[in-house]
Amino acid sequence: MNFTLTEEQEMIKQAAKDFAHAELLPGIIERDEKQQFPSEQVKKMGELGFMGMMVDPEYGGSGLDTLSYVLTMEELSKIDASSSVIVSVNNSLVCYGLESFGSEEQKEKYLKKLASGEIIGAFCLSEPEAGSDATSQKTTAIDKGDHYVLNGTKNWITNGNSASVYLVIAQTHIEKGYKGINALIVEKGMPGFEIGPKENKLGIRGSDTHSLIFNDVKIPKENRIGEDGFGFKFAMKTLAGGRIGIAAQALGIAAGAYELAKNYSKERRAFGTEIANHQAIAFKLADMHTQIEAARYLVYKAAWDKDQGNNYDISGAMAKLYASQVAMETTVEAVQIFGGNGFVKEYHVERMMRDAKITQIYEGTSEIQKIVISRNILKN
Ligand SMILES: Cc1cc2nc3c(=O)[nH]c(=O)nc-3n(C[C@H](O)[C@H](O)[C@H](O)COP(=O)(O)OP(=O)(O)OC[C@H]3O[C@@H](n4cnc5c(N)ncnc54)[C@H](O)[C@@H]3O)c2cc1C
């Protein structure tokens, strides 16, 4: 076992940290309050190579490993989880999906722009009646020979209005159930494609979440990803890697809140001493630190599995399950350590507590992660 990062990984981690402090921290409270999308920041992250980190440079990416991506997600999420989810969806769902399963033409036409950050993408699986039960797709893509006709509604789509390219999962052969599902590339502005109003959210309020409505949208056949009927497998394979990104986001939120709470506990005085000298506070910090370190090893192990070509279904699910739980518990305790100051926006930890919750819900709820883990451990 080697727990040492390479020089390159250390440099990337430092670059992400510097960027988060210099570019994401300023204005973060206002963006959260106003639900403002961080357009300028996303553009700069594209220039730094953060939007297509694992994509081959041949297609405009940075050609880095999954661990470098995870380190970046962790550092960005310590400061701004709204920005990091934009990075995560673009990298691990959209770019990964296209690079792994797209045709050469699709990579030339879409991946290059997505990986360089020129445009951003969205991944559209969830529907009003198909969340955890993703096989119950009601959106249809009817085969009309040289094109599909797309009808239906997608819910909760991250980058819903800011994306230019959407990977949409839809049912083509209803009688075949999940084996009749396809993944289609849909462009913003295609006739019949409407974007619903922005959701007013508890957390990650800087990211834009919308429903999408498709009314007889004509999609050329060449925009189907993979063979006919590959759509459900495409979604599951892509989400398995996506979970590692969200696990890293959860880890970053937890670590960010912990660092703030630790520093505060060494400054704030009560009963004639710094509150860190009260054992009740010191023990909270000890628990937080231990849990974060445990979450970190699960997240890095999942990234390592992916880089080694090992199966990462179970390690990704365990990393997301545990890191999201740690994010929730750590941020609640961070608010407690800040006392009254924890309850107001200026000290950041209340936002982190709100942001943490989503990591237990999207890209598979914690209950769904337990289904993935238990199925995997019981099959042998
Ligand atoms: C801010 C935000 C951004 C999102 N971004 C995207 C996106 O970009 N693309 C996208 O496709 N989706 C996105 N989602 C959707 C997200 O993935 C779903 O909300 C999530 O998968 C849960 O689905 P659901 O909301 O329908 O809940 P449901 O499936 O209705 O679940 C409700 C509850 O029941 C539990 N449950 C369901 N089935 C079982 C079971 N078999 N056993 C035990 N418990 C069960 C769940 O764990 C949950 O606690 C986003 C959601 C949010 C809130």
Side-chain angles (χ1 to χ4, degrees):
M1 270 189 268
N2 182 357
F3 291 99
T4 320
L5 299 179
T6 64
E7 211 173 299
E8 187 183 47
Q9 287 162 345
E10 289 285 7
M11 271 170 54
I12 290 156
K13 184 176 156 72
Q14 190 60 44
K17 184 177 179 172
D18 292 345
F19 177 81
H21 282 269
E23 305 287 346
L24 299 182
L25 190 55
I28 192 168
I29 294 170
E30 201 183 355
R31 290 200 301 276
D32 173 70
E33 269 178 354
K34 296 186 177 163
Q35 294 219 102
Q36 226 171 51
F37 185 83
S39 308
E40 276 307 303
Q41 290 81 351
V42 170
K43 198 167 157 254
K44 286 181 184 164
M45 288 194 284
E47 287 159 10
L48 280 173
F50 290 169
M51 299 307 284
M53 295 193 74
M54 295 167 287
V55 175
D56 194 316
E58 186 192 342
Y59 300 113
S62 305
L64 295 165
D65 59 5
T66 312
L67 188 53
S68 301
Y69 164 60
V70 154
L71 294 166
T72 304
M73 278 297 296
E74 184 182 342
E75 291 304 323
L76 300 178
S77 306
K78 280 182 185 174
I79 302 290
D80 183 5
S82 291
S83 293
S84 72
V85 71
I86 301 164
V87 172
S88 182
V89 166
N90 203 66
N91 272 279
S92 42
L93 299 181
V94 181
C95 287
Y96 173 81
L98 280 173
E99 186 171 28
S100 304
F101 308 110
S103 66
E104 206 45 52
E105 294 72 30
Q106 290 167 353
K107 290 182 200 177
E108 281 296 325
K109 187 169 177 190
Y110 300 109
L111 182 58
K112 280 187 169 173
K113 288 185 189 166
L114 287 160
S116 63
E118 192 182 325
I119 58 171
I120 61 170
F123 181 85
C124 317
L125 174 66
S126 302
E127 298 187 356
E129 288 172 69
S132 302
D133 181 8
T135 54
S136 300
Q137 294 288 307
K138 300 280 187 292
T139 298
T140 54
I142 303 303
D143 193 336
K144 297 283 184 187
D146 65 341
H147 67 275
Y148 291 100
V149 173
L150 185 66
N151 276 289
T153 302
K154 292 287 170 186
N155 252 22
W156 312 116
I157 304 306
T158 302
N159 301 340
N161 192 31
S162 47
S164 303
V165 171
Y166 300 77
L167 308 186
V168 179
I169 312 299
Q171 186 82 48
T172 297
H173 309 284
I174 294 155
E175 70 290 353
K176 290 189 187 166
Y178 73 91
K179 289 185 178 161
I181 289 173
N182 278 311
L184 304 176
I185 304 171
V186 179
E187 292 177 26
K188 190 184 225 162
M190 281 180 160
F193 174 16
E194 282 169 42
I195 295 166
K198 194 177 199 170
E199 300 291 349
N200 188 1
K201 304 194 298 281
L202 171 76
I204 55 162
R205 287 169 58 81
S207 79
D208 66 323
T209 313
H210 293 257
S211 52
L212 308 176
I213 304 111
F214 304 104
N215 285 313
D216 289 334
V217 185
K218 219 172 141 180
I219 314 291
K221 265 275 169 72
E222 62 262 26
N223 281 25
R224 187 186 72 212
I225 302 173
E227 292 298 304
D228 189 18
F230 179 63
F232 190 71
K233 251 194 179 165
F234 168 81
M236 293 303 113
K237 281 178 182 285
T238 307
L239 279 171
R243 280 172 192 149
I244 303 175
I246 299 303
Q249 180 189 41
L251 169 64
I253 296 170
Y258 160 74
E259 283 168 20
L260 290 175
K262 188 177 75 171
N263 293 339
Y264 185 80
S265 75
K266 292 199 276 190
E267 288 163 10
R268 174 72 180 170
R269 292 175 65 85
F271 297 92
T273 185
E274 287 77 25
I275 59 170
N277 293 326
H278 297 302
Q279 201 177 56
I281 300 293
F283 278 15
K284 277 190 203 301
L285 292 167
D287 284 339
M288 290 157 102
H289 184 72
T290 306
Q291 289 170 346
I292 289 167
E293 200 68 357
R296 184 170 283 127
Y297 292 132
L298 280 176
V299 178
Y300 290 6
K301 167 66 165 50
W304 182 84
D305 274 339
K306 186 159 176 281
D307 287 334
Q308 296 302 307
N310 299 340
N311 183 304
Y312 50 90
D313 289 346
I314 189 166
S315 53
M318 290 195 301
K320 181 177 184 288
L321 174 68
Y322 187 68
S324 62
Q325 182 190 320
V326 171
M328 207 58 247
E329 289 174 8
T330 303
T331 52
V332 168
E333 287 295 60
V335 170
Q336 191 67 19
I337 290 174
F338 271 82
N341 283 336
F343 210 64
V344 294
K345 295 190 186 296
E346 291 89 308
Y347 290 86
H348 301 291
V349 285
E350 65 81 33
R351 185 188 67 254
M352 293 169 139
M353 186 180 85
R354 289 186 283 107
D355 288 349
K357 186 60 204 168
I358 192 60
T359 64
Q360 295 185 308
I361 297 173
Y362 57 18
E363 299 202 22
T365 63
S366 294
E367 290 77 12
I368 295 303
Q369 303 313 319
K370 288 186 192 181
I371 292 177
V372 173
I373 297 163
S374 57
R375 274 192 192 145
N376 270 279
I377 55 180
L378 291 171
K379 78 181 172 199
N380 296 318

